[in-house]
Each structure stands twice: as C-alpha cells, then as structure tokens.
Amino acid sequence: MKHAYLALSLATILNTPLVAFAAEKTQVKDSIEHIEVAGQVIKSQGLSVKNETIDGPFGDNLALQDIARSVTPISSELIEQLNITTLQDVLALSPNTYSASGFGAPSLPTIRGQLGELFQDGTRRQAGNNGFGVPLSFNSVEQIDVVKGAPPVLFGSSQRNGGFVNLQSKVASTDESKGKASLSAGRWDQYSAQIDYTAPIIKDKVGFRVSYEHLDHGSYYDYSGTKSDSLFAALRILPDDKSTWDINFELYQVEFTDNAGINRPTQALIDDGLYITGQGVQANGSTVPAAGSIVSPTGQVNIDRSTVLTDPDNQNEATTYLIHSIYKRELSANASLKNITYFQHLQREEIAQNSFVEIIDGADTAQNRTELTYSWNDEQQTIFAFDVRYNKVLGYSQFTTEADLPIDLTGPLSNRRIPLTDAQKARLVELRPGVFVSPGAQYDIDNDGSGDFNLSDTTDSRSWQTGFAIQQDSDWTDKLHTSVGYRVDYYDVEARDPIAPQGQTAASDSINDTLQSGQVSFNYKLNADFTGYGAASYNEATSNSMAGGNVLGGGNVISAQNFATENTLVEFGLKYAPTNSDWYADGAVFSQRRSLRNRDGSNTGIRTTGFESQVFYDAYPYWLSAGYSYIDARYDNSASSQDSAQVADAFDNSRPDIIAGTGVGAPSFTPFAPSNSQVQGIPEQSFSFNGNYSITSKWQTGFSGLYTKSYPLDFLQTVKIRDQYTLNVNTSYAFTPSTKLRLDVNNITNQKNWRPVFEGGYFGATLAFPELPINAKLTLTHKF
C-alpha cells in the first residue's frame, strides 16, 4: 500500500433492549399460590421484514414501520432462502430495484431506475465507475437494508441518489460458540465453499468471528468465469455494561470477466435470436473495429446465447481490503455516542484485447463519523454528527477506441480485437510496454488550437470531505412523530495528470465547494396497525469517476458541474404492521429528480414518479412475499447520448431483406437534444413473488418469480425487450437439525430473457445481455 490513512476514535454506546411477551394468571386455592404462565406459540420463521430493526441511516434500533421511507430489510435467513449472491438478486424481493447487467459483474445497486450507493455499516464503500467495477462478496454480510431515495443527512453527500443499500456486517458472539459450513456445486462447473465460526474469547466480554469463502465459478458464457477468495474476521469487545466495540476486517481477491453481452441488438435478435453477420469495414478498408465502420450484412443466423463479447486473453483482477470499527457508549441516561471508522484499499487491473484499459494503481478511502444522540426528554431527541472522509485515487483509463457494433461475433476472435494504430497511439501515452492509456489532461503540442490527445478517466486525485449534520426527532403525541435534518459538507479537492506526455508539464487543478442537504418527514399512527408517512429531501451531490476519484475536464480544470448535482425526493406511504398478525405490507408513491453521470462525465437530469408495494406473510408452515412497482422515468428536459443513435446505423442498405441500414457507420457518438423522453432500459412495471412451504418439519419447498413489462432498449425506441418472466424453484431436506441439503433450479421454464448491459442506456443501441438458461445448484449446509 502506497498510502495508508486510518482515522482513530473512541467513545460510543450500545443500547439493545430485550423484549419478552408472556401472560401471567395467578390463582389462590387452599392458601397455596399457583402461577400459570401462558404464551403464544411462535410461528415466525424469521422470513418476514416485519420484525427486523434498522441501524444507521435514520438512527439505531428503528422498527420498519417507524421509518418514513420505503425500506426492505433482508435478513440472513432471507438471504439464504432467496439464494441472494449478487446485488442483482435483491430485485427478487425489493420493488423498483431492476438493474442492468453491469457488464456481468454489478458492483452497485439500481434503485428506482438509477444507480444507487453502496454502504456498509453506515459508511460509503468504494464501488464501480457507473456500476462497472469489482464484484461484491456477501461473505461478511449479516443483513441487507435496501432504502429508496437519496442517502439521509447522517450518511452525507455522496454521488448516486436513486437509493442505497446498507450492508450490516456479521458480528462476533461473546456468549456462545457456533459455526456453519456450506458447499455448493452448480451447472457449468460452479463450485463454492464457505465456513463461518464464532466463539467467545472471554465469556460475556470478548468474542471473535471468522468467515472464509472461496468461489471457483465456470460460466455459461464463452471465455468467462470468476475465482475469488474472501476472508472476514470480526472482534467484539464489551468493556462494560454501557459500551460495545465491533472491529472487522475483510480481504477480498477476485479474477472476473468483463462481459459485454451480444452486440447488434436488433428486434430480430431480441425476439428470435437472429444475429446479422458481416464484419465492419473502415473507410480505409481495414476490418479492425473502429468508429465509423460500416457493415455489409452477409446473412442472418441463430446465434448461441453463450457467444458474447469476451476474449480469453483479457486480464481482469482486483484486490481490496476493508476495516470497520464501530464503537458505541451510553454516556448518561440521556446521552449516547457512536463512532464509526472505515478504511478501504483497492487495486484493480483490466487490460482487454478490444483496447479497453482500466487500472487502479491504488485507491485509499478513510472515513470517521461521530454521532452524539441526546434525549432532552421522552419526546425530543437530537442527533449531532461530525464526519470526515478522505479519498485518494491513482488510476489510468482508456476507452476511446472501443468499437462494438462493427464486430461479427460469429467470426474468429481476431474480429473482436483492436490493435492500436500508430496514429491512435500518438493520441495516448504508453503506461508500460504495450499498454496505452489516456493522459489525465489535454495538451496542444502542435499549437493548432486543439488538443492532441484522447481523454478518459485517468487521474491522480485527492479529496477531503468534512461534514456536520443535525437531526431532530420529535414525538408530538402518541400518534405523530416528525424528523427534521440538515447537513453541510465542505469539499477540498485536487487532481493532477499522473502520466503527462513527454515534454509536457503535468496539468493540475484544485477546487473547493460547499454542498448542503436537508430532509423532513412525519409518521402518523392511524391506529395500532396502520402508520402513514411522508418524506421530502433535498440533496446536493458530486459526480465522480472510477473509485470515487476526480478528473480534469475541459480547460484542464475540475468542473464545477461535478459539485452541482441537485436531487429531490417527495414520498408518501402507508405501512401495515399489526401486532398480533403474521402479515406485513406497505406501499409508497414517489417523485424523484436526480442526475445521472454520463460516460463522458457530464450529468443528465432524470425525473421519476411511481408507485411500489410489498407484502409479507410468515407463519409456519408458509412464507409468502410479493412486490409490485410502477415507474415513469423521463429525461427532465435534459440532454442524453448513446454510443450510436440506433443499431441500423452500423449497416448499409445492401440487404434490405435483413435490415434497412442507414450507412451512418458505428460507433458514432450521438447526443440527443433536451427532451422529456422515456428513459431507456427501465421496465415501467415489474412484479416479484416468493414463497416457501414446509411439507414436514424436515422437508421444505419454495419458489420465486419475476415479471417485467416490455420496455425500450434504446433512446429512439427502435428495439424493445418484450414482456418476460423468470421462475425459480427450490427444495431442501434436513437430515438432522444441523445438516441440510438444498437444490435450486433457476429459470426452470428456460426463458430466453434479456436485459441492458449498462446503466443509463448509453449502449442501448449497441449491446444486450442474454440472461442465463435453466440451471441448477446443490448446496450442503452443516451447523456446528
């Protein structure tokens, strides 16, 4: 590690009240007292969101019905039941979380039609550049909280504001020893193993936990696979009865594939699997894929859906480690303190044969937040927070010479490869022998008034974010609760070119800015079962590049636009959480305006309105859930762009029986004028359902499904992904109370489904991702 930064802190509180329910009846007979204790049989299987508590975003130990936002907490039991292994899998449970494939390795959630943030234990993790980044392991995760809308004031100004996922880490036990081991094997040579063990070191004082996961996954897709190792260790210290200290560490190493799916997504490809053949030709006659190439169709064939834009010679790997410290202390009957410290180091290297390069030569992020909670009386509580976050990124990027539409996937591998010409190399800088990247700034070497280089995301940047937040929670009556919050963040940012062309002085710039956010909400208990709520928030956010870094823009300065992303939310909802019932349900209507970072670094305004609802029933032997979402996502009188205007631009009109090509050539970067058009790549309606039935105390069976309404793949709506559904089934058998075997069969009806490759629709006219065919996985779990 080239740079190490770790903020230290002390002081905090743990306040975990225990709740027990029992009914006592005392009878007196013959001077002898008889006490009879009666209780309700517990039927819950731990598979409902109803009884989960939420820590972090809006305070600690909050019940779901008391949070004035649309939230879906996913417990460890639900993670196992729904076979959640990636961020995309949360859409099986939480409405309005449909996502693009993220080039086969999603690193960020998609919520309400836009990329959201990824937090862990209340601090924002490093993640991908527009969703493409390092895959996520759930080896360290105990619970997943999915929250709609921008992060609240306690979490501070960030980058993505559709919503966020907060991962709650596993904690060590101080009172008992227990462990779990699991082995799984699936189709296409997909194998994994995990072991998780916790035990006290000093009973009721100190405990530890270790969890290790290994994945060795082959793939349905050509030249694809994932190999990863995750080591997680946790320590819990209870210094006294008023404090707790949790420290955890994760080391994660992964080799994975950048999977761009299938190019040339015509309607015939989506509907019938028909692919147009013929390699694109440049104006100079070269068949190397390049901007402006034109394809003369040579035919139309059924393409194997496993034939995707990958290459066996691509290199793609990453290593990251994270440290979290959470210290809580009860200072007095009225005051408590919580301190959170986070540090993450990331290194990543991808060198692809299609000339794409992304190398993170070290990204370090450290954050420290201290929260003081003070209860003035039983009705008024204030939370004060002071936050410092440091981020340093040294990275090199090159994506300016990629060209996907000219490639004929049915031909030899050489069709996909883009060796750089001398002219292209002259507009780049050689990082090391044979590896060319963009410089981090523009230079006019020949003094003709225009820059002589291609720019992407290369940067050496540092940023300090210092924030102060205050949140006031008030109980005005036993029915009405309000919360008001405000935060101000001060940014101090500098960026420089880490690899200036020979003979040039490296450009650099610095900027500082102040960003503000605010929120207001209310909860009103209509009766013992129903709670209505309303929430509004305003958030000023940043626009960053890979690993959260900052780049030099036009004029070799950091664009002030990167600190001018305004986001608003208005949401009203109703939650049904009856005390003596096995049901839970909620629904919300919302209107959000937010900005989306484009691939070229600009921002596009998007406005979404919609409705979402979820319902749960959990009572042995049944468990059921369902979710519905409707979203109308439109550009907010805002410009947009695509890699090409439409797929027909890649073809000439020599075969009108196959396609009416326009002969424009592709890729041909196309900006679209400001409009209120529908945002491509997002289904207006989706419906998910899940269930489980215990046939006996040992044998269970379950199912899950997802339906999405037809939606346009590209801005001009020339190609649509039709209505589609996926149905999964599972069954498990417990040989002993400790040992269980489970079989999952996914996409059991073998649907030929598709989804977008990239968030924001930039590649909507260029690429489409074929989802997996029917596949099965067998998992053996043993608890000890």
Side-chain angles (χ1 to χ4, degrees):
M1 186 177 86
K2 296 181 180 178
H3 301 271
Y5 173 94
L6 184 60
L8 298 177
S9 58
L10 288 171
T12 317
I13 176 174
L14 178 64
N15 185 5
T16 50
L18 300 176
V19 181
F21 297 92
E24 292 187 359
K25 183 171 66 177
T26 304
Q27 296 179 339
V28 178
K29 183 179 180 180
D30 298 330
S31 300
I32 299 176
E33 183 180 39
H34 297 271
I35 300 177
E36 180 179 323
V37 179
Q40 183 181 4
V41 176
I42 298 176
K43 298 186 293 180
S44 171
Q45 304 168 88
L47 298 177
S48 175
V49 301
K50 178 181 177 181
N51 299 317
E52 301 299 329
T53 58
I54 313 297
D55 286 336
F58 309 96
D60 285 346
N61 300 315
L62 296 179
L64 186 58
Q65 60 267 31
D66 294 331
I67 298 176
R69 282 283 192 93
S70 177
V71 183
T72 306
I74 306 174
S75 64
S76 57
E77 292 84 3
L78 268 177
I79 293 173
E80 180 179 347
Q81 173 63 35
L82 295 174
N83 191 29
I84 293 175
T85 59
T86 73
L87 281 173
Q88 284 185 337
D89 295 334
V90 301
L91 62 89
L93 194 68
S94 182
N96 263 325
T97 55
Y98 184 79
S99 63
S101 74
F103 289 96
S107 63
L108 291 169
T110 299
I111 301 173
R112 289 181 177 171
Q114 191 203 350
L115 284 173
E117 288 290 8
L118 180 64
F119 292 83
Q120 187 161 5
D121 299 325
T123 55
R124 178 160 49 104
R125 285 182 53 143
Q126 290 173 353
N129 183 3
N130 280 11
F132 174 56
V134 180
L136 177 68
S137 168
F138 287 113
N139 180 49
S140 65
V141 176
E142 187 74 22
Q143 179 170 313
I144 305 170
D145 296 330
V146 184
V147 185
K148 315 298 172 58
V153 296
L154 292 180
F155 279 10
S157 174
S158 59
Q159 179 180 353
R160 306 167 183 94
N161 294 276
F164 62 94
V165 167
N166 185 37
L167 307 175
Q168 294 191 30
S169 298
K170 295 175 178 177
V171 297
S173 172
T174 60
D175 58 2
E176 63 174 335
S177 301
K178 58 183 178 180
K180 183 173 75 170
S182 64
L183 298 171
S184 70
R187 192 179 179 187
W188 309 301
D189 296 323
Q190 296 195 347
Y191 305 104
S192 64
Q194 183 187 57
I195 186 166
D196 185 350
Y197 181 73
T198 182
I201 299 174
I202 303 174
K203 190 171 177 60
D204 298 327
K205 289 290 185 181
V206 182
F208 78 95
R209 185 167 185 170
V210 176
S211 184
Y212 172 73
E213 178 188 64
H214 174 73
L215 270 62
D216 188 351
H217 282 185
S219 178
Y220 163 72
Y221 306 106
D222 292 345
Y223 315 120
S224 297
T226 301
K227 291 184 179 181
S228 69
D229 292 279
S230 170
L231 175 63
F232 173 79
L235 186 69
R236 165 162 280 196
I237 303 172
L238 304 179
D240 50 47
D241 61 354
K242 296 182 180 297
S243 59
T244 182
W245 191 8
D246 288 298
I247 307 168
N248 59 64
F249 169 84
E250 181 182 10
L251 173 64
Y252 180 59
Q253 296 178 308
V254 62
E255 298 177 15
F256 62 104
T257 302
D258 174 356
N259 186 343
I262 298 178
N263 63 342
R264 304 180 181 177
T266 62
Q267 198 64 57
L269 177 68
I270 301 300
D271 293 346
D272 304 311
L274 295 175
Y275 183 83
I276 301 175
T277 60
Q279 183 77 353
V281 180
Q282 299 182 42
N284 62 6
S286 172
T287 57
V288 173
S293 296
I294 298 176
V295 180
S296 297
T298 57
Q300 196 171 31
V301 300
N302 275 295
I303 190 170
D304 192 316
R305 290 166 59 88
S306 65
T307 305
V308 291
L309 279 168
T310 54
D311 193 297
D313 291 341
N314 286 353
Q315 303 174 42
N316 198 9
E317 59 186 6
T319 299
T320 185
Y321 61 84
L322 304 89
I323 301 171
H324 280 92
S325 167
I326 305 171
Y327 185 80
K328 300 180 180 181
R329 182 168 183 83
E330 183 179 346
L331 301 177
S332 68
N334 296 330
S336 62
L337 195 69
K338 177 168 71 172
N339 184 274
I340 302 172
T341 298
Y342 152 77
F343 175 79
Q344 181 175 3
H345 174 77
L346 170 68
Q347 288 185 291
R348 174 170 182 239
E349 179 163 299
E350 177 177 6
I351 301 174
Q353 298 302 307
N354 69 344
S355 75
F356 177 83
V357 176
E358 183 169 291
I359 296 173
I360 299 175
D361 202 18
D364 296 315
T365 304
Q367 183 173 351
N368 182 269
R369 182 169 70 247
T370 299
E371 298 176 13
L372 173 65
T373 302
Y374 189 82
S375 297
W376 305 94
N377 50 48
D378 291 341
E379 292 80 32
Q380 301 292 329
Q381 174 183 279
T382 306
I383 303 176
F384 304 92
F386 179 72
D387 210 339
V388 178
R389 181 179 175 91
Y390 170 80
N391 191 61
K392 181 190 181 304
V393 178
L394 174 60
Y396 307 92
S397 176
Q398 158 34 24
F399 51 67
T400 61
T401 56
E402 288 181 79
D404 296 325
L405 276 174
I407 295 169
D408 183 351
L409 271 178
T410 65
L413 281 174
S414 58
N415 279 6
R416 315 177 187 188
R417 296 177 172 173
I418 305 178
L420 299 177
T421 66
D422 290 340
Q424 290 172 325
K425 292 177 181 178
R427 296 187 62 84
L428 302 169
V429 179
E430 192 169 20
L431 177 65
R432 54 180 184 252
V435 178
F436 289 83
V437 298
S438 298
Q442 187 59 270
Y443 304 92
D444 180 13
I445 294 178
D446 57 11
N447 297 314
D448 66 351
S450 22
D452 297 318
F453 294 88
N454 296 346
L455 299 185
S456 50
D457 280 339
T458 296
T459 188
D460 181 2
S461 67
R462 297 169 181 79
S463 68
W464 284 93
Q465 175 186 350
T466 305
F468 175 77
I470 182 170
Q471 177 176 305
Q472 178 67 34
D473 298 318
S474 305
D475 291 318
W476 301 104
T477 68
D478 58 355
K479 292 179 177 289
L480 178 62
H481 172 85
T482 64
S483 180
V484 179
Y486 171 78
R487 175 162 175 148
V488 59
D489 282 280
Y490 177 78
Y491 280 85
D492 186 359
V493 180
E494 59 182 43
R496 63 181 295 274
D497 181 1
I499 188 168
Q502 186 175 5
Q504 301 296 308
T505 301
S508 63
D509 188 34
S510 62
I511 191 173
N512 51 65
D513 206 343
T514 301
L515 279 64
Q516 302 180 71
S517 59
Q519 65 191 40
V520 59
S521 66
F522 73 87
N523 296 70
Y524 187 80
K525 290 187 177 296
L526 302 173
N527 53 43
D529 297 338
F530 288 93
T531 301
Y533 73 87
S537 74
Y538 171 81
N539 174 279
E540 295 176 343
T542 62
S543 180
N544 307 106
S545 61
M546 57 181 173
N550 294 270
V551 296
L552 297 174
N556 290 345
V557 300
I558 302 172
S559 174
Q561 185 184 16
N562 291 347
F563 303 87
T565 304
E566 297 182 344
N567 307 273
T568 60
L569 164 70
V570 176
E571 180 179 320
F572 294 96
L574 182 66
K575 298 187 178 184
Y576 173 66
T579 302
N580 298 313
S581 173
D582 303 306
W583 290 92
Y584 172 83
D586 64 33
V589 293
F590 62 88
S591 176
Q592 289 186 201
R593 187 197 183 281
R594 55 196 185 275
S595 291
L596 175 73
R597 182 180 184 267
N598 298 319
R599 192 167 183 264
D600 64 357
S602 63
N603 292 320
T604 293
I606 295 175
R607 182 177 295 278
T608 60
T609 57
F611 168 77
E612 59 202 22
S613 180
Q614 57 187 356
V615 59
F616 290 83
Y617 177 79
D618 181 20
Y620 185 85
Y622 298 101
W623 170 73
L624 297 168
S625 79
Y628 170 79
S629 62
Y630 167 80
I631 185 170
D632 181 23
R634 297 187 175 276
Y635 293 103
D636 190 21
N637 192 29
S638 186
S640 182
S641 61
Q642 275 184 177
D643 183 52
S644 292
Q646 57 183 325
V647 67
D649 290 349
F651 304 96
D652 61 26
N653 200 29
S654 61
R655 290 293 302 273
D657 56 317
I658 296 177
I659 187 170
T662 66
V664 171
S668 53
F669 174 80
T670 306
F672 297 107
S675 72
N676 298 107
S677 299
Q678 179 182 356
V679 178
Q680 64 272 40
I682 303 171
E684 281 189 327
Q685 298 184 65
S686 64
F687 175 67
S688 63
F689 52 92
N690 307 277
N692 183 73
Y693 174 67
S694 296
I695 301 171
T696 69
S697 60
K698 296 183 177 181
W699 185 16
Q700 296 181 335
T701 185
F703 62 87
S704 65
L706 174 69
Y707 164 81
T708 53
K709 189 70 176 171
S710 174
Y711 60 93
L713 189 59
D714 61 320
F715 180 88
L716 296 177
Q717 303 191 20
T718 62
V719 176
K720 291 189 175 183
I721 292 181
R722 308 296 190 185
D723 292 17
Q724 56 187 27
Y725 71 90
T726 304
L727 180 63
N728 311 315
V729 296
N730 66 80
T731 187
S732 64
Y733 186 81
F735 297 97
T736 71
S738 301
T739 305
K740 181 172 68 175
L741 185 66
R742 170 170 167 146
L743 174 67
D744 286 275
V745 182
N746 302 312
N747 193 11
I748 193 170
T749 58
N750 203 29
Q751 299 299 298
K752 292 179 171 59
N753 293 333
W754 299 86
R755 71 172 62 212
V757 166
F758 193 67
E759 302 291 345
Y762 182 82
F763 291 108
T766 306
L767 305 167
F769 194 84
E771 295 191 14
L772 292 173
I774 183 172
N775 61 93
K777 181 174 74 171
L778 197 63
T779 304
L780 178 66
T781 303
H782 178 70
K783 296 180 180 179
F784 55 93

mmCIF file of all heavy atoms in Angstrom, residues 540-567:
data_model
loop_
_atom_site.group_PDB
_atom_site.id
_atom_site.type_symbol
_atom_site.label_atom_id
_atom_site.label_comp_id
_atom_site.label_asym_id
_atom_site.label_seq_id
_atom_site.Cartn_x
_atom_site.Cartn_y
_atom_site.Cartn_z
ATOM 1 N N GLU A 540 -27.518 17.825 -2.426
ATOM 2 C CA GLU A 540 -26.510 18.239 -3.391
ATOM 3 C C GLU A 540 -25.398 17.202 -3.376
ATOM 4 O O GLU A 540 -24.828 16.917 -2.320
ATOM 5 C CB GLU A 540 -25.975 19.630 -3.058
ATOM 6 C CG GLU A 540 -27.036 20.708 -3.189
ATOM 7 C CD GLU A 540 -26.534 22.080 -2.770
ATOM 8 O OE1 GLU A 540 -25.494 22.166 -2.084
ATOM 9 O OE2 GLU A 540 -27.188 23.076 -3.138
ATOM 10 N N ALA A 541 -25.112 16.640 -4.548
ATOM 11 C CA ALA A 541 -24.189 15.513 -4.617
ATOM 12 C C ALA A 541 -23.060 15.803 -5.587
ATOM 13 O O ALA A 541 -23.051 16.810 -6.298
ATOM 14 C CB ALA A 541 -24.934 14.251 -5.033
ATOM 15 N N THR A 542 -22.096 14.875 -5.627
ATOM 16 C CA THR A 542 -20.946 15.007 -6.510
ATOM 17 C C THR A 542 -21.068 14.072 -7.698
ATOM 18 O O THR A 542 -21.881 13.155 -7.719
ATOM 19 C CB THR A 542 -19.651 14.682 -5.753
ATOM 20 O OG1 THR A 542 -19.702 13.325 -5.316
ATOM 21 C CG2 THR A 542 -19.482 15.600 -4.563
ATOM 22 N N SER A 543 -20.235 14.308 -8.694
ATOM 23 C CA SER A 543 -20.139 13.432 -9.855
ATOM 24 C C SER A 543 -18.678 13.037 -9.999
ATOM 25 O O SER A 543 -17.822 13.871 -10.258
ATOM 26 C CB SER A 543 -20.627 14.161 -11.117
ATOM 27 O OG SER A 543 -20.546 13.323 -12.246
ATOM 28 N N ASN A 544 -18.409 11.747 -9.796
ATOM 29 C CA ASN A 544 -17.025 11.270 -9.744
ATOM 30 C C ASN A 544 -16.756 10.235 -10.820
ATOM 31 O O ASN A 544 -17.660 9.760 -11.491
ATOM 32 C CB ASN A 544 -16.721 10.668 -8.364
ATOM 33 C CG ASN A 544 -17.054 11.606 -7.232
ATOM 34 O OD1 ASN A 544 -18.031 11.425 -6.533
ATOM 35 N ND2 ASN A 544 -16.225 12.622 -7.065
ATOM 36 N N SER A 545 -15.492 9.862 -10.935
ATOM 37 C CA SER A 545 -15.097 8.825 -11.890
ATOM 38 C C SER A 545 -14.738 7.560 -11.117
ATOM 39 O O SER A 545 -15.227 7.336 -10.014
ATOM 40 C CB SER A 545 -13.934 9.315 -12.747
ATOM 41 O OG SER A 545 -12.807 9.599 -11.936
ATOM 42 N N MET A 546 -13.857 6.726 -11.685
ATOM 43 C CA MET A 546 -13.574 5.435 -11.078
ATOM 44 C C MET A 546 -13.047 5.577 -9.656
ATOM 45 O O MET A 546 -12.263 6.472 -9.343
ATOM 46 C CB MET A 546 -12.570 4.661 -11.934
ATOM 47 C CG MET A 546 -11.259 5.368 -12.188
ATOM 48 S SD MET A 546 -10.174 4.361 -13.219
ATOM 49 C CE MET A 546 -8.832 5.503 -13.508
ATOM 50 N N ALA A 547 -13.561 4.659 -8.795
ATOM 51 C CA ALA A 547 -13.177 4.600 -7.385
ATOM 52 C C ALA A 547 -13.457 5.905 -6.643
ATOM 53 O O ALA A 547 -12.841 6.175 -5.618
ATOM 54 C CB ALA A 547 -11.712 4.197 -7.234
ATOM 55 N N GLY A 548 -14.369 6.726 -7.165
ATOM 56 C CA GLY A 548 -14.711 7.976 -6.497
ATOM 57 C C GLY A 548 -13.730 9.093 -6.721
ATOM 58 O O GLY A 548 -13.776 10.114 -6.026
ATOM 59 N N GLY A 549 -12.832 8.929 -7.696
ATOM 60 C CA GLY A 549 -11.846 9.965 -7.972
ATOM 61 C C GLY A 549 -12.423 11.135 -8.743
ATOM 62 O O GLY A 549 -13.575 11.123 -9.187
ATOM 63 N N ASN A 550 -11.611 12.166 -8.915
ATOM 64 C CA ASN A 550 -11.995 13.367 -9.654
ATOM 65 C C ASN A 550 -11.026 13.563 -10.817
ATOM 66 O O ASN A 550 -9.825 13.387 -10.671
ATOM 67 C CB ASN A 550 -11.957 14.597 -8.749
ATOM 68 C CG ASN A 550 -12.999 14.539 -7.651
ATOM 69 O OD1 ASN A 550 -14.116 14.996 -7.808
ATOM 70 N ND2 ASN A 550 -12.630 13.944 -6.521
ATOM 71 N N VAL A 551 -11.568 13.942 -11.976
ATOM 72 C CA VAL A 551 -10.744 14.096 -13.178
ATOM 73 C C VAL A 551 -10.693 15.557 -13.611
ATOM 74 O O VAL A 551 -11.548 16.363 -13.236
ATOM 75 C CB VAL A 551 -11.300 13.230 -14.330
ATOM 76 C CG1 VAL A 551 -11.226 11.757 -13.983
ATOM 77 C CG2 VAL A 551 -12.739 13.633 -14.676
ATOM 78 N N LEU A 552 -9.685 15.872 -14.410
ATOM 79 C CA LEU A 552 -9.603 17.188 -15.036
ATOM 80 C C LEU A 552 -10.469 17.184 -16.285
ATOM 81 O O LEU A 552 -10.389 16.275 -17.115
ATOM 82 C CB LEU A 552 -8.156 17.504 -15.399
ATOM 83 C CG LEU A 552 -7.172 17.599 -14.228
ATOM 84 C CD1 LEU A 552 -5.747 17.784 -14.745
ATOM 85 C CD2 LEU A 552 -7.552 18.741 -13.292
ATOM 86 N N GLY A 553 -11.298 18.202 -16.424
ATOM 87 C CA GLY A 553 -12.174 18.305 -17.585
ATOM 88 C C GLY A 553 -11.671 19.328 -18.581
ATOM 89 O O GLY A 553 -10.460 19.548 -18.724
ATOM 90 N N GLY A 554 -12.623 19.950 -19.286
ATOM 91 C CA GLY A 554 -12.267 20.955 -20.279
ATOM 92 C C GLY A 554 -11.442 22.071 -19.683
ATOM 93 O O GLY A 554 -11.695 22.543 -18.569
ATOM 94 N N GLY A 555 -10.400 22.497 -20.422
ATOM 95 C CA GLY A 555 -9.509 23.533 -19.941
ATOM 96 C C GLY A 555 -8.583 23.052 -18.846
ATOM 97 O O GLY A 555 -7.960 23.867 -18.160
ATOM 98 N N ASN A 556 -8.525 21.726 -18.664
ATOM 99 C CA ASN A 556 -7.671 21.114 -17.637
ATOM 100 C C ASN A 556 -8.005 21.611 -16.229
ATOM 101 O O ASN A 556 -7.116 21.825 -15.395
ATOM 102 C CB ASN A 556 -6.186 21.340 -17.945
ATOM 103 C CG ASN A 556 -5.727 20.538 -19.144
ATOM 104 O OD1 ASN A 556 -6.404 19.616 -19.596
ATOM 105 N ND2 ASN A 556 -4.569 20.898 -19.685
ATOM 106 N N VAL A 557 -9.287 21.805 -15.984
ATOM 107 C CA VAL A 557 -9.740 22.184 -14.654
ATOM 108 C C VAL A 557 -10.787 21.175 -14.185
ATOM 109 O O VAL A 557 -11.415 20.476 -14.984
ATOM 110 C CB VAL A 557 -10.325 23.613 -14.621
ATOM 111 C CG1 VAL A 557 -9.282 24.630 -15.041
ATOM 112 C CG2 VAL A 557 -11.569 23.712 -15.505
ATOM 113 N N ILE A 558 -10.954 21.101 -12.882
ATOM 114 C CA ILE A 558 -12.015 20.266 -12.302
ATOM 115 C C ILE A 558 -13.332 21.002 -12.503
ATOM 116 O O ILE A 558 -13.491 22.140 -12.057
ATOM 117 C CB ILE A 558 -11.758 20.014 -10.811
ATOM 118 C CG1 ILE A 558 -10.405 19.340 -10.608
ATOM 119 C CG2 ILE A 558 -12.868 19.164 -10.214
ATOM 120 C CD1 ILE A 558 -9.982 19.238 -9.148
ATOM 121 N N SER A 559 -14.258 20.369 -13.163
ATOM 122 C CA SER A 559 -15.512 21.037 -13.500
ATOM 123 C C SER A 559 -16.344 21.304 -12.253
ATOM 124 O O SER A 559 -16.561 20.403 -11.427
ATOM 125 C CB SER A 559 -16.325 20.178 -14.472
ATOM 126 O OG SER A 559 -17.603 20.744 -14.690
ATOM 127 N N ALA A 560 -16.804 22.554 -12.122
ATOM 128 C CA ALA A 560 -17.698 22.897 -11.014
ATOM 129 C C ALA A 560 -19.008 22.128 -11.120
ATOM 130 O O ALA A 560 -19.718 21.947 -10.117
ATOM 131 C CB ALA A 560 -17.958 24.399 -11.000
ATOM 132 N N GLN A 561 -19.336 21.663 -12.343
ATOM 133 C CA GLN A 561 -20.559 20.900 -12.535
ATOM 134 C C GLN A 561 -20.530 19.598 -11.729
ATOM 135 O O GLN A 561 -21.578 19.048 -11.368
ATOM 136 C CB GLN A 561 -20.754 20.571 -14.022
ATOM 137 C CG GLN A 561 -22.072 19.869 -14.342
ATOM 138 C CD GLN A 561 -22.168 19.491 -15.810
ATOM 139 O OE1 GLN A 561 -21.180 19.472 -16.518
ATOM 140 N NE2 GLN A 561 -23.375 19.193 -16.259
ATOM 141 N N ASN A 562 -19.327 19.108 -11.441
ATOM 142 C CA ASN A 562 -19.207 17.879 -10.655
ATOM 143 C C ASN A 562 -19.711 18.044 -9.228
ATOM 144 O O ASN A 562 -19.887 17.057 -8.515
ATOM 145 C CB ASN A 562 -17.752 17.412 -10.611
ATOM 146 C CG ASN A 562 -17.264 16.929 -11.958
ATOM 147 O OD1 ASN A 562 -18.044 16.713 -12.879
ATOM 148 N ND2 ASN A 562 -15.953 16.777 -12.093
ATOM 149 N N PHE A 563 -19.937 19.288 -8.803
ATOM 150 C CA PHE A 563 -20.428 19.545 -7.459
ATOM 151 C C PHE A 563 -21.763 20.295 -7.508
ATOM 152 O O PHE A 563 -22.120 20.985 -6.569
ATOM 153 C CB PHE A 563 -19.386 20.351 -6.674
ATOM 154 C CG PHE A 563 -18.048 19.679 -6.606
ATOM 155 C CD1 PHE A 563 -17.103 19.868 -7.606
ATOM 156 C CD2 PHE A 563 -17.747 18.815 -5.572
ATOM 157 C CE1 PHE A 563 -15.877 19.233 -7.566
ATOM 158 C CE2 PHE A 563 -16.521 18.178 -5.520
ATOM 159 C CZ PHE A 563 -15.581 18.376 -6.520
ATOM 160 N N ALA A 564 -22.484 20.104 -8.599
ATOM 161 C CA ALA A 564 -23.739 20.821 -8.783
ATOM 162 C C ALA A 564 -24.881 19.877 -9.133
ATOM 163 O O ALA A 564 -25.786 20.234 -9.870
ATOM 164 C CB ALA A 564 -23.582 21.878 -9.885
ATOM 165 N N THR A 565 -24.802 18.662 -8.616
ATOM 166 C CA THR A 565 -25.852 17.687 -8.878
ATOM 167 C C THR A 565 -26.927 17.815 -7.808
ATOM 168 O O THR A 565 -26.710 17.435 -6.655
ATOM 169 C CB THR A 565 -25.277 16.257 -8.871
ATOM 170 O OG1 THR A 565 -24.217 16.188 -9.821
ATOM 171 C CG2 THR A 565 -26.329 15.245 -9.223
ATOM 172 N N GLU A 566 -28.083 18.346 -8.180
ATOM 173 C CA GLU A 566 -29.168 18.551 -7.229
ATOM 174 C C GLU A 566 -30.184 17.414 -7.362
ATOM 175 O O GLU A 566 -30.568 17.032 -8.466
ATOM 176 C CB GLU A 566 -29.853 19.894 -7.478
ATOM 177 C CG GLU A 566 -28.926 21.089 -7.256
ATOM 178 C CD GLU A 566 -29.639 22.413 -7.460
ATOM 179 O OE1 GLU A 566 -30.730 22.402 -8.059
ATOM 180 O OE2 GLU A 566 -29.108 23.440 -7.016
ATOM 181 N N ASN A 567 -30.616 16.894 -6.226
ATOM 182 C CA ASN A 567 -31.537 15.770 -6.200
ATOM 183 C C ASN A 567 -32.658 16.054 -5.209
ATOM 184 O O ASN A 567 -32.409 16.565 -4.109
ATOM 185 C CB ASN A 567 -30.809 14.490 -5.778
ATOM 186 C CG ASN A 567 -29.580 14.222 -6.622
ATOM 187 O OD1 ASN A 567 -29.651 13.608 -7.661
ATOM 188 N ND2 ASN A 567 -28.425 14.725 -6.163
#
